Amino acid sequence: MQDKLVTLIGGGGFLGRYVAQQLLQQGARVRIAQRDPRAAEFLRPLGGLGQTQFVAVDIAKPDSLARALQGSDAVVNLVGILSGDFQAIQVDGARNVAAAAAATGASALVHVSAIGADPASASNYGRTKGEGEAAVRAAFPVATILRPSIVFGREDQFVNRFAGLIARAPAVPVLRTATRFQPVYVADVASAVCASLADPAAFGGKIFELGGPDILSMGALIRWIAQAIGRHPAIIELPDSIGGLIAMMGFLPGAPITQDQWRMLQSDNVVAPSAEGLGAFGIMPTPLASVAPSWLVRYRRHGRFSSDVTG
């Protein structure tokens, strides 16, 4: 990737910052493209002088993308939402990015999707992720599509959200406790992105599902987080009849939940047995337990000064 210009659409986000860091270490020039590029200025010190560029872009506007992607050797689309206008962002926006990448002559495109992407999905999120993949493939046939499970890391909004709730609440209600996840470390996903960019001949035109080494039910994950931070709240496993009503109201104590997210929870979020995964890139998946305690420590009762070795 030495001296290659890689444009990261949404590069200042959770996953984007890890992709940017790895690309900069590999000698690539990185262009961060997002609605407000000023929010990504924290990335500038990670590269050498002139190695990092920042540009405003709106994926709903093809002209905006044409300017942002000009001269790019490779493009990564990291944009996705959990609520809002799924069609505009995850289908039309994905199509616009792929079309602009093809028009600019980029040799590689990586599109970050999600496990559960399926045009026939009952959830709008899963359906538009699936339709977005098809739109990307139509505009840029050799795009690499990556479908991660729940991505965890120091800045995530999943493990940290539950840790914060557990730290302050005497009781934690849990929806769909049997639904299974395969949490994948953000740095491993970033490594897969960079490997795809470096060798489009090997990885282009393929779909990869990315999961970590452990498969955990929602209930088991909540209990693991509680143990990791040394907290012992009552775990209340809510039946689906109540969970459905909560989703209709749009709010679970400690976190909002939409009806679409409730529909997503009806299915496991794990790598399909037949799918290629991190192993195809030569990446050994990182266990949650090997890295998460280093940042979850802030949720312990006395932080790093806790006398409790478990939290």
Side-chain angles (χ1 to χ4, degrees):
M1 300 305 296
Q2 185 70 37
D3 295 327
K4 298 288 186 180
L5 175 58
V6 182
T7 298
L8 305 182
I9 310 295
F14 171 44
L15 173 57
R17 68 185 64 198
Y18 287 83
V19 176
Q21 183 173 13
Q22 291 193 25
L23 287 172
L24 291 168
Q25 291 172 347
Q26 294 173 20
R29 292 177 293 133
V30 177
R31 179 182 291 160
I32 306 297
Q34 57 188 54
R35 279 183 176 271
D36 182 5
R38 295 170 299 180
E41 280 288 336
F42 66 91
L43 293 170
R44 192 180 295 278
L46 300 181
L49 183 63
Q51 193 180 3
T52 311
Q53 305 172 10
F54 300 86
V55 62
V57 71
D58 183 344
I59 64 172
K61 299 178 180 178
D63 290 346
S64 170
L65 281 164
R67 291 191 296 270
L69 270 58
Q70 187 174 12
S72 299
D73 295 298
V75 178
V76 183
N77 183 18
L78 297 150
V79 179
I81 56 175
L82 290 173
S83 62
D85 193 340
F86 293 116
Q87 181 70 31
I89 301 300
Q90 297 185 167
V91 182
D92 300 336
R95 179 187 297 110
N96 292 340
V97 171
T104 200
S107 61
L109 168 65
V110 174
H111 176 72
V112 179
S113 183
I115 287 179
D118 183 350
S121 174
S123 76
N124 289 327
Y125 175 86
R127 176 183 58 78
T128 54
K129 280 291 189 181
E131 292 177 356
E133 290 182 0
V136 167
R137 186 71 77 222
F140 201 110
V142 294
T144 302
I145 294 175
L146 303 181
R147 295 175 175 171
S149 182
I150 297 299
V151 181
F152 69 88
R154 184 176 297 275
E155 306 87 357
D156 74 49
Q157 294 297 313
F158 187 78
V159 173
N160 281 301
R161 172 173 287 179
F162 283 114
L165 175 61
I166 292 167
R168 64 178 182 267
V172 178
V174 183
L175 301 176
R176 297 290 297 173
T177 55
T179 298
R180 301 184 305 157
F181 300 89
Q182 196 168 347
V184 60
Y185 186 37
V186 62
D188 293 342
V189 178
S191 294
V193 171
C194 294
S196 300
L197 295 172
D199 195 353
F203 303 114
K206 298 181 179 180
I207 296 176
F208 300 89
E209 296 198 348
L210 311 181
D214 305 310
I215 296 177
L216 299 169
S217 69
M218 177 67 84
L221 178 60
I222 297 300
R223 289 180 172 85
W224 181 87
I225 295 171
Q227 186 276 330
I229 64 175
R231 305 284 185 155
H232 309 284
I235 306 297
I236 304 172
E237 300 185 359
L238 299 177
D240 283 357
S241 57
I242 295 178
L245 290 174
I246 289 174
M248 289 179 64
M249 292 186 293
F251 190 82
L252 178 71
I257 180 170
T258 66
Q259 292 186 55
D260 201 65
Q261 289 166 345
W262 172 251
R263 287 190 286 269
M264 290 163 55
L265 284 173
Q266 305 309 303
S267 301
D268 289 339
N269 193 277
V270 299
V271 174
S274 60
E276 291 189 274
L278 289 173
F281 302 98
I283 299 170
M284 183 70 70
T286 303
L288 177 68
S290 70
V291 291
S294 67
W295 69 78
L296 289 178
V297 65
R298 66 180 182 269
Y299 298 104
R300 297 175 184 173
R301 194 171 303 279
H302 301 292
R304 296 187 182 277
F305 301 98
S306 173
S307 60
D308 184 348
V309 296
T310 66

